[in-house]
Amino acid sequence: MTSQTLREARKYEEASEKMITRIERPAFHLSPRTGWMNDPNGFSWYDGKYHLFYQYNPYASQWGPMHWGHAVSDDLLHWEYLPAALAPDEACDRDGCFSGSAVTLPDGRQLLMYTGVVRERQANGGYSEVQTQCLAVGDGVDYEKYEKNPVLDEKDIPEGSSRYDFRDPKMWQEEDGSYRCVVGNRAADGSGQILLFSSPDGFEWQYEKVLAGNHGRFGRMWECPDFFPLDGKWVLVVSPQDMLPSGFEYHNGNGTLCLIGEYCRETGEFTEMSDQSVDYGIDFYAPQTILTPDGRRVMIGWMQNWDTCNHRRKQEEAWFGQMSLPRELSIKEGRLYQNPIRELEEMRTGRVSYDNIIVSGTVRLEGIRGRRIDMELTVRPVEGCDLYRKFAVRFAQNELYYTSLSFRPGESVLKVDRKFSGSRRAIIHQRRSMVKHRGGELKLRMVLDRFSVEVFVNDGEQALSAVLYTDQEADGISFIADGTVSLDVTKYDLV
Ligand code: FRU
């Protein structure tokens, strides 16, 4: 039975989506049907399609009462909206259906686990949100909340751990058919920790252990965990709040990192070996992964940063928030690699390519422009010339605006900067990252989709994402060298 709250949300989104024309949205990055979007939820392959749910406030382009929006796709690039899947309409979730995940049950139904939020009056008159884990079961369109909700609450967490910070369950199924999930939580010392739970059937859950603890290393609370095997290792992805920068890592305040290590399925023991930022740009948070039917591990994140949500197109806008490109993951030499899913290549048309262009000063190239493009660049020093000091590509450019990606080989630093992208807000608009290069040779792939750029460095060694709201007419691209470089460029339009 659909509740009144959900029926209203469905009616509202159907009517107000019509107010948004296609060109006002990204073309192949999922944006909310209407209103506000944050984290990807319930990312899954179900009944012959990819399903992606998302944290959703249909009624405003601001965070608010959390619903789950819903969309499906055959290739993770072309999305079709389905009616909102969950609304805050039960005693266990009346103040929000927060992030969670999805698995398929043996009987073919889809099981969603999400965080139910209930505001609780505190002695000082303020409110805190009590968080529990809840279930809903459905057929890929309509979901029925489980009558025994919540299935995990304060009774199921270690002594002293916070019942106010206990959220974002990510489930998976083991080979023996049983289920596991990881949930973000705060330990008695206030530091983030990831709890592991198990279930024989997806409905009865029990606490196993602390899978990983922050112990004051990376920020405070750890949100939105994901945990999966990849190339012989196990990867724990978490999104810590309130991080301190360390060298060139963890500059985002709220950012996403991964811990790569070994996991023993019998004991549930995770042994960390290394840590790194997942995205070195400005906008990336709370990602989820799936295993595709052909065995690829693919990740989608919220292409946004909580700290820069005032960076908007305009105050009154019909939608806010978008997902990142789906990225294929791998591990090479102990590091996480990310590349756009290969299906993106099927959208390529209008190839324009140049080899060995000598750039000294500013160069524009015939046919190289656009705001929905996939562009590969290789930049290298020129024999007989000194090592160049700086190479930059300016894009989304017109007389007034541009965003730039610049590289200084002497410092090994790549910088994305959207200060001149048209934003009228004095918030963080740039990020610098250390990159590897061979004597000044660097490979970049840039994917633009109207309101964003995602950069993949050296065939996936690093990714940098940033949203930009520059007028769409600003579609120029230019290349600039301080010194002399040789440049190869291949650009495709994405349609
Ligand atoms: C992360 C997050 C989650 C929570 C959701 C609420 O961005 O804070 O921890 O479930 O957003 O919308």
Side-chain angles (χ1 to χ4, degrees):
M1 253 277 289
T2 331
S3 70
Q4 174 80 7
T5 319
L6 184 59
R7 277 203 305 278
E8 270 167 21
R10 287 177 166 189
K11 213 168 118 192
Y12 184 86
E13 62 178 359
E14 207 184 313
S16 50
E17 127 186 88
K18 300 197 179 86
M19 322 278 271
I20 311 172
T21 61
R22 270 181 47 182
I23 57 162
E24 288 175 292
R25 296 178 177 279
F28 49 91
H29 289 73
L30 184 67
S31 54
R33 190 166 179 189
T34 182
W36 164 278
M37 159 193 279
N38 59 290
D39 316 351
N41 292 159
F43 190 16
S44 51
W45 170 261
Y46 177 71
D47 201 17
K49 281 197 186 294
Y50 293 105
H51 288 247
L52 189 59
F53 304 81
Y54 51 92
Q55 286 289 280
Y56 183 35
N57 177 16
Y59 300 112
S61 60
Q62 315 279 346
W63 192 87
M66 278 295 113
H67 295 60
W68 275 32
H70 191 184
V72 289
S73 175
D74 293 322
D75 61 0
L76 296 172
L77 296 166
H78 298 85
W79 292 97
E80 183 197 327
Y81 293 112
L82 291 183
L86 301 178
D89 54 12
E90 293 277 345
C92 61
D93 61 24
R94 62 164 187 261
D95 293 309
C97 299
F98 278 16
S99 286
S101 54
V103 291
T104 304
L105 292 167
D107 64 10
R109 293 178 302 161
Q110 191 175 39
L111 179 71
L112 308 180
M113 192 195 277
Y114 65 97
T115 298
V117 173
V118 175
R119 272 151 43 99
E120 182 192 77
R121 190 79 191 244
Q122 304 299 297
N124 66 5
Y127 286 90
S128 292
E129 294 174 339
V130 177
Q131 305 185 331
T132 62
Q133 314 321 317
C134 302
L135 300 175
V137 180
D139 61 1
V141 179
D142 295 310
Y143 295 83
E144 191 90 36
K145 288 182 181 163
Y146 185 44
E147 67 274 9
K148 293 192 193 151
N149 279 341
V151 293
L152 288 171
D153 64 16
E154 59 189 285
K155 296 189 296 298
D156 304 294
I157 59 181
E159 181 85 44
S161 297
S162 172
R163 66 198 185 104
Y164 304 115
D165 283 304
F166 176 42
R167 58 182 175 271
D168 311 333
K170 175 73 201 280
M171 297 183 282
W172 71 92
Q173 191 172 28
E174 287 289 346
E175 265 164 25
D176 66 2
S178 65
Y179 298 89
R180 301 283 178 283
C181 78
V182 280
V183 186
N185 181 226
R186 248 189 218 239
D189 68 356
S191 196
Q193 63 184 359
I194 301 304
L195 306 180
L196 177 70
F197 298 88
S198 71
S199 168
D201 57 2
F203 292 91
E204 294 279 331
W205 287 89
Q206 81 178 44
Y207 172 69
E208 292 290 334
K209 66 191 322 166
V210 176
L211 183 76
N214 186 13
H215 309 300
R217 293 174 297 165
F218 310 111
R220 299 195 172 114
M221 170 64 184
W222 282 7
E223 300 188 306
C224 300
D226 196 351
F227 188 54
F228 50 87
L230 185 66
D231 294 335
K233 296 270 179 285
W234 277 75
V235 182
L236 176 64
V237 176
V238 293
S239 293
Q241 296 178 310
D242 313 314
M243 279 199 287
L244 282 171
S246 149
F248 279 89
E249 301 284 331
Y250 314 132
H251 282 212
N252 272 352
N254 301 291
T256 300
L257 61 85
C258 71
L259 302 170
I260 301 176
E262 313 268 3
Y263 175 62
C264 171
R265 280 195 153 100
E266 281 69 51
T267 61
E269 205 67 47
F270 176 59
T271 314
E272 288 177 30
M273 293 158 85
S274 64
D275 63 86
Q276 69 175 88
S277 296
V278 169
D279 193 284
Y280 289 83
I282 310 173
D283 297 301
F284 192 85
Y285 199 68
Q288 280 197 352
T289 69
I290 49 160
L291 197 60
T292 60
D294 61 1
R296 291 174 286 164
R297 181 60 60 173
V298 172
M299 173 176 76
I300 290 185
W302 181 40
M303 192 160 46
Q304 188 56 55
N305 182 336
W306 281 112
D307 288 346
T308 56
C309 286
N310 285 331
H311 173 234
R312 287 172 169 261
R313 279 165 299 151
K314 47 183 189 252
Q315 233 27 56
E316 281 317 307
E317 58 198 352
W319 64 269
F320 181 86
Q322 52 183 315
M323 295 301 172
S324 74
L325 272 179
R327 301 172 180 181
E328 289 183 21
L329 302 184
S330 56
I331 292 180
K332 284 189 192 134
E333 287 158 18
R335 302 254 325 160
L336 184 74
Y337 272 62
Q338 303 167 57
N339 279 297
I341 46 156
R342 58 197 72 166
E343 284 81 347
L344 189 69
E345 285 155 41
E346 288 158 32
M347 292 178 64
R348 287 172 164 182
T349 61
R351 178 176 191 273
V352 179
S353 193
Y354 295 90
D355 278 342
N356 264 309
I357 300 290
I358 301 300
V359 183
S360 180
T362 302
V363 165
R364 287 196 173 77
L365 297 169
E366 178 74 34
I368 305 284
R369 61 187 320 116
R371 290 289 289 275
R372 265 181 304 143
I373 59 167
D374 188 348
M375 182 165 73
E376 291 168 334
L377 307 174
T378 301
V379 48
R380 58 182 91 76
V382 175
E383 255 193 54
C385 294
D386 288 341
L387 179 62
Y388 60 96
R389 283 169 296 279
K390 178 174 151 181
F391 167 77
V393 44
R394 291 185 175 180
F395 54 96
Q397 185 179 24
N398 63 8
E399 304 72 46
L400 284 176
Y401 307 123
Y402 66 87
T403 293
S404 69
L405 194 63
S406 58
F407 173 57
R408 290 178 182 274
E411 299 166 14
S412 303
V413 166
L414 180 70
K415 181 171 92 174
V416 59
D417 190 341
R418 65 175 180 211
K419 201 185 300 99
F420 302 110
S421 67
S423 169
R424 294 169 193 269
R425 296 273 76 85
I427 46 181
I428 292 281
H429 285 311
Q430 52 165 275
R431 183 74 69 234
R432 296 189 307 152
S433 169
M434 284 296 250
V435 295
K436 288 196 198 134
H437 59 99
R438 283 180 295 145
E441 179 167 336
L442 183 74
K443 211 172 153 189
L444 301 170
R445 180 171 173 194
M446 300 169 61
V447 178
L448 273 65
D449 182 11
R450 291 198 179 114
F451 304 105
S452 62
V453 59
E454 285 162 280
V455 183
F456 300 87
V457 183
N458 294 331
D459 297 308
E461 195 168 52
Q462 276 164 302
L464 286 83
S465 312
V467 302
L468 46 121
Y469 296 123
T470 318
D471 294 346
Q472 295 300 305
E473 300 82 66
D475 68 348
I477 294 175
S478 56
F479 304 99
I480 301 164
D482 179 359
T484 310
V485 304
S486 161
L487 174 70
D488 298 344
V489 188
T490 302
K491 185 227 65 171
Y492 303 89
D493 297 317
L494 295 171
V495 290

